[in-house]
Amino acid sequence: MGTAPKTNRGTARRKTLLRSAEKVIGEKGFASASIAEITRDAETALGTFYIYFASKEQVFRELVVEMGTLTRRVMTDAVTGAPDRLEAERRGLLAFLRFVAERPSLYRIVEQARFVDPEAYRDYFSRFAQAYRDQLLRAEQSGEIRPGDAEVRAWALMGIAKNLGDRFVLWEERDDLDAIADAAFDMIRDGLSP
Amino acid sequence: MGTAPKTNRGTARRKTLLRSAEKVIGEKGFASASIAEITRDAETALGTFYIYFASKEQVFRELVVEMGTLTRRVMTDAVTGAPDRLEAERRGLLAFLRFVAERPSLYRIVEQARFVDPEAYRDYFSRFAQAYRDQLLRAEQSGEIRPGDAEVRAWALMGIAKNLGDRFVLWEERDDLDAIADAAFDMIRDGLSP
């Protein structure tokens, strides 16, 4: 996606533009963000943007795809080495909340995609859900979790992570993310039943 | 909010405009929807809009508030008479999914509020979460559910409902909402632990 730069300097400039786009679009919203603001933030000429990107839509989509790659990597790193699926759930949830705290603008960009680029939005979550469902199915087969509808569970668990990210990270910037992840995990593990 | 009509005919016309605004903004998105389109859909003159609403922003906010009132009513009706909190959770989740299926444009409008009117968006979910948390606290005190962090649980449970609404109602328009609610409820009740 976009034009691949041929030099190291080009690669660096493209990266700078991408980070400025993340910042400006994340803060102002896609509709209000202008390419002029992005290049101003990146300290380059307006025309430079078009060497690397065809449009604001294109840089936006690239940010959504980047967020997908990053989130998957963060989650994979977090759960690697977990002794079982339940512990992987706890670690994954906490890692997600920490990632939202670290990159709030990337997270906001994904939510904007719901309206700016609905296809990219669905792709983002569907790809994520597919991998999640497969992990739940494997855990069910190995007896690490109770049998159940892996597809519904995957979307339900993603919904928990997203909503806690909104409430406790984006809105309130809480610093006790460990405690929040633990409290949610308690319900994920054992349910509400007394 | 808005100008209260003085006649029955005025009340009816205002209602028609509100439904047209729901339809047009729900389908096109807030930024793309024009007041001209709304009045065309309502079969009134463009100027009529301004008798009842000050701006597109105002009609939008009124739709978000309306969605809040409606959702709370639907959920209250659904859980009234439930023998305990767990059954109320199951009924509430199913009622929510059915409501999204019935009024997809109102649901989409709330999600647009995240960017169009962040204050209305937070109000919407915070008000909902507060009532939810209180219900969970009462259920905990009466021993209907295990003790836990009611605030985190309320947001986690809302996240499940929202994400299942996106995936299985808005995107796929599934007609087996009972089975989906049951599958999610199974996890809410007993967790993933084997």
Side-chain angles (χ1 to χ4, degrees), chain A residues 96 107 111 121 125 158-166, chain B residues 163 166:
Chain A
F96 176 79
Y107 181 86
E111 277 311 309
Y121 188 74
F125 287 105
M158 285 162 57
I160 292 175
K162 278 178 73 173
N163 220 37
L164 297 182
D166 280 348
Chain B
N163 220 37
D166 280 347

Side-chain angles (χ1 to χ4, degrees), chain A residues 5-193:
Chain A
K6 287 178 188 66
T7 62
N8 285 344
R9 201 171 148 192
T11 305
R13 215 185 283 155
R14 193 178 193 285
K15 217 183 237 176
T16 304
L17 280 165
L18 206 57
R19 293 289 63 81
S20 293
E22 174 188 341
K23 187 180 150 195
V24 175
I25 299 175
E27 281 170 8
K28 302 232 162 181
F30 180 80
S32 309
S34 70
I35 291 172
E37 253 171 314
I38 294 169
T39 50
R40 206 178 307 132
D41 186 86
E43 296 177 356
T44 63
L46 183 68
T48 310
F49 180 89
Y50 294 99
I51 300 175
Y52 304 104
F53 305 101
S55 60
K56 194 168 70 164
E57 282 73 15
Q58 196 216 317
V59 79
F60 180 81
R61 183 171 272 224
E62 184 157 333
L63 287 169
V64 174
V65 171
E66 191 189 19
M67 173 69 171
T69 309
L70 264 174
T71 312
R72 279 191 295 276
R73 194 187 305 153
V74 164
M75 304 299 277
T76 305
D77 287 354
V79 305
T80 298
D84 55 38
R85 185 66 226 165
L86 285 174
E87 177 59 17
E89 287 301 324
R90 198 189 62 79
R91 291 185 192 180
L93 179 55
L94 177 58
F96 176 79
L97 296 179
R98 283 185 178 153
F99 182 61
V100 177
E102 254 172 54
R103 298 292 284 273
S105 44
L106 264 191
Y107 181 86
R108 280 197 189 93
I109 281 165
V110 172
E111 277 311 309
Q112 288 183 62
R114 178 193 284 269
F115 302 104
V116 174
D117 191 337
E119 200 189 306
Y121 188 74
R122 287 196 198 192
D123 278 0
Y124 179 93
F125 287 105
S126 299
R127 202 169 153 188
F128 214 94
Q130 207 170 346
Y132 207 157
R133 192 197 55 198
D134 291 348
Q135 287 166 351
L136 292 171
L137 279 173
R138 276 198 297 276
E140 184 182 323
Q141 279 154 11
S142 64
E144 290 167 57
I145 59 171
R146 286 196 310 124
D149 187 321
E151 178 83 8
V152 170
R153 282 173 166 182
W155 287 89
L157 291 164
M158 285 162 57
I160 292 175
K162 278 178 73 173
N163 220 37
L164 297 182
D166 280 348
R167 165 67 180 82
F168 295 106
V169 186
L170 287 191
W171 299 358
E172 215 192 354
E173 301 185 26
R174 286 266 286 259
D175 53 14
D176 58 339
L177 298 183
D178 276 87
I180 291 159
D182 279 347
F185 176 66
D186 175 83
M187 187 180 79
I188 292 168
R189 186 189 54 213
D190 294 321
L192 293 176
S193 190

Side-chain angles (χ1 to χ4, degrees), chain B residues 40-60:
Chain B
R40 207 179 306 132
D41 186 86
E43 295 176 357
T44 64
L46 182 68
T48 310
F49 180 90
Y50 294 99
I51 300 175
Y52 304 105
F53 305 101
S55 61
K56 194 168 70 162
E57 282 74 15
Q58 196 216 317
V59 79
F60 180 82

